[in-house]
Short mmCIF file of all heavy atoms in Angstrom, two decimals:
data_model
loop_
_atom_site.label_atom_id
_atom_site.label_comp_id
_atom_site.label_asym_id
_atom_site.label_seq_id
_atom_site.Cartn_x
_atom_site.Cartn_y
_atom_site.Cartn_z
N TRP I 1 2.15 -10.85 -1.18
CA TRP I 1 2.30 -9.43 -0.91
C TRP I 1 3.18 -8.82 -2.01
O TRP I 1 4.21 -9.39 -2.36
CB TRP I 1 2.92 -9.22 0.46
CG TRP I 1 1.99 -9.55 1.59
CD1 TRP I 1 1.18 -8.70 2.27
CD2 TRP I 1 1.80 -10.84 2.19
NE1 TRP I 1 0.48 -9.37 3.24
CE2 TRP I 1 0.84 -10.69 3.22
CE3 TRP I 1 2.34 -12.12 1.94
CZ2 TRP I 1 0.41 -11.76 4.01
CZ3 TRP I 1 1.91 -13.18 2.72
CH2 TRP I 1 0.96 -12.99 3.75
N HIS I 2 2.76 -7.69 -2.52
CA HIS I 2 3.38 -7.09 -3.71
C HIS I 2 3.63 -5.60 -3.45
O HIS I 2 2.74 -4.89 -2.97
CB HIS I 2 2.42 -7.29 -4.90
CG HIS I 2 2.69 -6.42 -6.08
ND1 HIS I 2 1.70 -5.70 -6.72
CD2 HIS I 2 3.84 -6.14 -6.75
CE1 HIS I 2 2.21 -5.03 -7.73
NE2 HIS I 2 3.51 -5.26 -7.76
N ILE I 3 4.85 -5.16 -3.76
CA ILE I 3 5.21 -3.74 -3.66
C ILE I 3 5.58 -3.24 -5.05
O ILE I 3 6.50 -3.75 -5.69
CB ILE I 3 6.38 -3.52 -2.69
CG1 ILE I 3 6.03 -4.06 -1.29
CG2 ILE I 3 6.72 -2.03 -2.60
CD1 ILE I 3 7.18 -3.98 -0.29
N ASP I 4 4.85 -2.24 -5.50
CA ASP I 4 5.05 -1.62 -6.81
C ASP I 4 5.95 -0.41 -6.61
O ASP I 4 5.54 0.58 -5.99
CB ASP I 4 3.68 -1.22 -7.37
CG ASP I 4 3.74 -0.52 -8.69
OD1 ASP I 4 4.56 -0.90 -9.53
OD2 ASP I 4 2.92 0.42 -8.90
N CYS I 5 7.20 -0.46 -7.12
CA CYS I 5 8.26 0.46 -6.72
C CYS I 5 8.46 1.60 -7.72
O CYS I 5 8.70 1.36 -8.91
CB CYS I 5 9.57 -0.30 -6.56
SG CYS I 5 9.46 -1.67 -5.39
N HIS I 6 8.40 2.83 -7.21
CA HIS I 6 8.53 4.04 -8.03
C HIS I 6 9.41 5.06 -7.32
O HIS I 6 9.77 4.88 -6.15
CB HIS I 6 7.15 4.67 -8.27
CG HIS I 6 6.19 3.80 -8.99
ND1 HIS I 6 5.95 3.90 -10.34
CD2 HIS I 6 5.39 2.80 -8.55
CE1 HIS I 6 5.05 3.00 -10.71
NE2 HIS I 6 4.70 2.32 -9.63
N SER I 7 9.69 6.15 -8.02
CA SER I 7 10.29 7.32 -7.38
C SER I 7 9.46 8.55 -7.75
O SER I 7 8.76 8.56 -8.76
CB SER I 7 11.75 7.51 -7.79
OG SER I 7 11.86 7.83 -9.17
N MET I 8 9.57 9.57 -6.92
CA MET I 8 8.77 10.78 -7.12
C MET I 8 9.67 12.00 -7.15
O MET I 8 10.71 12.03 -6.48
CB MET I 8 7.72 10.92 -6.01
CG MET I 8 8.29 10.96 -4.60
SD MET I 8 6.99 10.92 -3.34
CE MET I 8 8.01 10.85 -1.85
N PRO I 9 9.30 13.02 -7.93
CA PRO I 9 10.09 14.25 -7.94
C PRO I 9 10.16 14.87 -6.56
O PRO I 9 9.23 14.75 -5.75
CB PRO I 9 9.33 15.15 -8.92
CG PRO I 9 8.49 14.23 -9.74
CD PRO I 9 8.14 13.08 -8.84
N SER I 10 11.24 15.56 -6.27
CA SER I 10 11.40 16.20 -4.96
C SER I 10 10.59 17.49 -4.87
O SER I 10 10.43 18.04 -3.79
CB SER I 10 12.87 16.50 -4.69
OG SER I 10 13.39 17.39 -5.67
N LYS I 11 10.06 17.95 -6.01
CA LYS I 11 9.21 19.14 -6.01
C LYS I 11 7.82 18.78 -6.48
O LYS I 11 7.64 18.02 -7.43
CB LYS I 11 9.79 20.23 -6.92
CG LYS I 11 11.07 20.87 -6.39
CD LYS I 11 11.53 22.01 -7.27
CE LYS I 11 12.80 22.65 -6.71
NZ LYS I 11 13.27 23.76 -7.58
N MET I 12 6.82 19.33 -5.81
CA MET I 12 5.43 19.14 -6.17
C MET I 12 5.11 19.94 -7.44
O MET I 12 5.92 20.74 -7.91
CB MET I 12 4.52 19.57 -5.02
CG MET I 12 4.78 18.84 -3.71
SD MET I 12 4.20 17.15 -3.74
CE MET I 12 2.45 17.43 -3.60
N TYR I 13 3.91 19.74 -7.95
CA TYR I 13 3.52 20.42 -9.18
C TYR I 13 3.50 21.94 -9.02
O TYR I 13 3.70 22.68 -9.99
CB TYR I 13 2.13 19.94 -9.62
CG TYR I 13 2.05 18.46 -9.82
CD1 TYR I 13 1.16 17.68 -9.09
CD2 TYR I 13 2.88 17.81 -10.73
CE1 TYR I 13 1.10 16.31 -9.26
CE2 TYR I 13 2.83 16.44 -10.91
CZ TYR I 13 1.94 15.70 -10.17
OH TYR I 13 1.88 14.34 -10.33
N ASP I 14 3.26 22.42 -7.79
CA ASP I 14 3.24 23.87 -7.56
C ASP I 14 4.61 24.45 -7.24
O ASP I 14 4.74 25.63 -6.93
CB ASP I 14 2.26 24.20 -6.43
CG ASP I 14 2.64 23.57 -5.09
OD1 ASP I 14 3.70 22.92 -5.02
OD2 ASP I 14 1.89 23.73 -4.12
N GLY I 15 5.66 23.60 -7.30
CA GLY I 15 7.01 24.06 -7.05
C GLY I 15 7.48 23.89 -5.62
O GLY I 15 8.67 24.08 -5.33
N SER I 16 6.57 23.56 -4.71
CA SER I 16 6.96 23.36 -3.31
C SER I 16 7.69 22.03 -3.15
O SER I 16 7.51 21.11 -3.96
CB SER I 16 5.73 23.38 -2.41
OG SER I 16 4.84 22.33 -2.74
N LEU I 17 8.51 21.93 -2.11
CA LEU I 17 9.27 20.71 -1.88
C LEU I 17 8.38 19.60 -1.35
O LEU I 17 7.49 19.84 -0.52
CB LEU I 17 10.41 20.98 -0.90
CG LEU I 17 11.57 21.84 -1.40
CD1 LEU I 17 12.57 22.06 -0.28
CD2 LEU I 17 12.25 21.17 -2.59
N MET I 18 8.62 18.39 -1.83
CA MET I 18 7.94 17.22 -1.29
C MET I 18 8.43 16.99 0.13
O MET I 18 9.63 16.82 0.37
CB MET I 18 8.24 16.00 -2.16
CG MET I 18 7.81 14.67 -1.58
SD MET I 18 6.04 14.51 -1.31
CE MET I 18 5.47 14.49 -3.02
N ALA I 19 7.52 16.98 1.09
CA ALA I 19 7.91 16.86 2.49
C ALA I 19 8.26 15.43 2.88
O ALA I 19 9.09 15.21 3.76
CB ALA I 19 6.78 17.38 3.39
N ALA I 20 7.64 14.46 2.24
CA ALA I 20 7.83 13.06 2.62
C ALA I 20 9.06 12.46 1.94
O ALA I 20 9.43 12.85 0.83
CB ALA I 20 6.60 12.25 2.25
N ASP I 21 9.68 11.51 2.62
CA ASP I 21 10.74 10.71 2.02
C ASP I 21 10.14 9.56 1.20
O ASP I 21 10.68 9.19 0.15
CB ASP I 21 11.65 10.13 3.11
CG ASP I 21 12.35 11.21 3.91
OD1 ASP I 21 12.78 12.21 3.31
OD2 ASP I 21 12.48 11.05 5.14
N PHE I 22 9.06 9.00 1.71
CA PHE I 22 8.35 7.92 1.02
C PHE I 22 6.84 8.20 1.08
O PHE I 22 6.34 8.70 2.10
CB PHE I 22 8.59 6.57 1.69
CG PHE I 22 9.98 6.03 1.51
CD1 PHE I 22 11.01 6.40 2.37
CD2 PHE I 22 10.28 5.15 0.48
CE1 PHE I 22 12.29 5.90 2.21
CE2 PHE I 22 11.56 4.65 0.30
CZ PHE I 22 12.56 5.03 1.18
N VAL I 23 6.15 7.86 0.00
CA VAL I 23 4.70 7.85 -0.01
C VAL I 23 4.25 6.44 -0.34
O VAL I 23 4.68 5.86 -1.35
CB VAL I 23 4.11 8.85 -1.03
CG1 VAL I 23 2.58 8.71 -1.10
CG2 VAL I 23 4.49 10.29 -0.66
N LEU I 24 3.41 5.88 0.51
CA LEU I 24 2.83 4.57 0.28
C LEU I 24 1.39 4.74 -0.17
O LEU I 24 0.62 5.49 0.45
CB LEU I 24 2.88 3.72 1.55
CG LEU I 24 4.26 3.47 2.14
CD1 LEU I 24 4.15 2.63 3.41
CD2 LEU I 24 5.18 2.80 1.13
N GLY I 25 1.01 4.04 -1.25
CA GLY I 25 -0.34 4.16 -1.77
C GLY I 25 -1.05 2.83 -1.81
O GLY I 25 -0.57 1.89 -2.46
N ASP I 26 -2.18 2.76 -1.12
CA ASP I 26 -2.99 1.53 -1.16
C ASP I 26 -4.41 1.80 -1.65
O ASP I 26 -5.33 1.07 -1.35
CB ASP I 26 -3.02 0.84 0.22
CG ASP I 26 -3.63 1.73 1.32
OD1 ASP I 26 -4.24 2.77 1.01
OD2 ASP I 26 -3.50 1.35 2.51
#
């Protein structure tokens, strides 16, 4: 099992705030 670890900006591309604390992508 492998977790690829990143961070994301707190603002989306349109300037709105990112609502999630974590996003998991599979």
Side-chain angles (χ1 to χ4, degrees):
W1 289 266
H2 163 228
I3 302 175
D4 178 39
C5 304
H6 298 262
S7 67
M8 57 187 176
S10 62
K11 290 185 179 179
M12 302 287 285
Y13 303 121
D14 62 3
S16 62
L17 290 177
M18 169 62 68
D21 298 320
F22 290 86
V23 174
L24 301 179
D26 61 12

